[in-house]
Amino acid sequence: DARVTQTPRDKVTEMGQEVTMRCQPILGHNTVFWYRQTMMQGLELLAYFRNRAPLDDSGMPKDRFSAEMPDATLATLKIQPSEPRDSAVYFCASGTADTQYFGPGTRLTVL
Amino acid sequence: AQSVTQLDSHVSVSEGTPVLLRCNYSSSYSPSLFWYVQHPNKGLQLLLKYTSAATLVKGINGFEAEFKKSETSFHLTKPSAHMSDAAEYFCVVSGDHDYKLSFGAGTTVTVRA
């Protein structure tokens, strides 16, 4: 049963620290999405890739967030420096065509 | 641009009774529509999807949804609720060319014993 995996599942850090979240998409999927979920804003699309190329990152704060796909089995989302307002659950999803499958998420707490 | 509106923020049902979650969509083309479920502290799980093949779509765990173009609706139903159905449900529409998803605000389902 193929699944999207994300690490770490939980991360607590202090303001100003760098945070890196990782995602392993389902093998064979050519699109990867990063979302952020908060109680106030719900689910927000941060960035997405197709065939490892970034297609849209307009949802990300450009000055501190970056997303990459160094290879087809790994997507990363980095925050530097982190701020308390970045506290949220970050989901990765992968898919083919229009159907996306979500990972379990990384719960980030920035103190 | 496409969007969805979930008409109920919270639905409470008794175990064994039917569940109805309402969703209206707005789209300038023939959309792909989805229902996802999110249990507490879990990721989103795909329940079912509509992609113009059949208007009545059957999903996992006994859920189904009916696409009604005339009403621009995609309501989710289940004949008999189970305690394990307590979760948040999202109605979602896919973008036309870019596969970006637009999420509804979510409906929280509570199941009473």
Side-chain angles (χ1 to χ4, degrees), chain A residues 55-67:
Chain A
L55 291 191
D56 188 347
D57 61 0
S58 58
M60 286 201 313
K62 296 290 189 304
D63 56 337
R64 300 184 298 108
F65 284 58
S66 62

Side-chain angles (χ1 to χ4, degrees), chain B residues 74-87:
Chain B
F74 189 57
H75 300 337
L76 180 71
T77 61
K78 182 173 180 177
S80 177
H82 190 271
M83 297 299 288
S84 61
D85 295 326

Side-chain angles (χ1 to χ4, degrees), chain A residues 34-99:
Chain A
W34 282 104
Y35 294 89
R36 176 171 63 184
Q37 185 178 39
T38 61
M39 290 292 291
M40 294 299 294
Q41 302 294 331
L43 275 158
E44 303 172 275
L45 176 65
L46 297 175
Y48 87 100
F49 297 78
R50 184 181 300 166
N51 297 322
R52 294 178 56 203
L55 291 191
D56 188 347
D57 61 0
S58 58
M60 286 201 313
K62 296 290 189 304
D63 56 337
R64 300 184 298 108
F65 284 58
S66 62
E68 296 179 345
M69 276 202 76
D71 61 61
T73 65
L74 177 65
T76 62
L77 179 66
K78 188 174 296 185
I79 307 174
Q80 168 62 20
S82 57
E83 298 181 0
R85 59 179 168 155
D86 301 329
S87 297
V89 181
Y90 291 81
F91 289 104
C92 172
S94 73
T96 58
D98 60 0
T99 303

Side-chain angles (χ1 to χ4, degrees), chain B residues 79-100:
Chain B
S80 177
H82 190 271
M83 297 299 288
S84 61
D85 295 326
E88 182 118 18
Y89 292 78
F90 294 94
C91 181
V92 183
V93 62
S94 175
D96 188 19
H97 302 294
D98 58 13
Y99 305 138
K100 290 165 67 171

Side-chain angles (χ1 to χ4, degrees), chain B residues 10-88:
Chain B
H10 186 240
V11 168
S12 180
V13 298
S14 297
E15 191 175 22
T17 65
V19 182
L20 169 64
L21 306 183
R22 299 181 295 165
C23 173
N24 286 349
Y25 70 91
S26 173
S27 175
S28 58
Y29 52 89
S30 183
S32 292
L33 291 159
F34 309 82
W35 277 98
Y36 284 83
V37 61
Q38 185 178 27
H39 288 90
N41 299 313
K42 300 288 187 184
L44 280 77
Q45 181 184 17
L46 179 65
L47 274 179
L48 50 80
K49 69 174 182 178
Y50 165 78
T51 54
S52 76
T55 56
L56 185 61
V57 183
K58 292 191 183 299
I60 61 171
N61 301 335
F63 285 94
E64 63 181 34
E66 185 171 10
F67 175 76
K68 291 187 177 180
K69 187 174 181 178
S70 60
E71 299 176 10
T72 61
S73 69
F74 189 57
H75 300 337
L76 180 71
T77 61
K78 182 173 180 177
S80 177
H82 190 271
M83 297 299 288
S84 61
D85 295 326
E88 182 118 18

Side-chain angles (χ1 to χ4, degrees), chain A residues 1-6 9 23-29 73 92-95 100-105, chain B residues 42-45:
Chain A
D1 186 19
R3 298 188 182 195
V4 176
T5 58
Q6 291 186 246
R9 294 295 311 276
C23 166
Q24 182 172 11
I26 294 172
L27 191 64
H29 284 185
T73 65
C92 172
S94 73
Q100 296 180 26
Y101 298 88
F102 284 74
Chain B
K42 300 288 187 184
L44 280 77
Q45 181 184 17

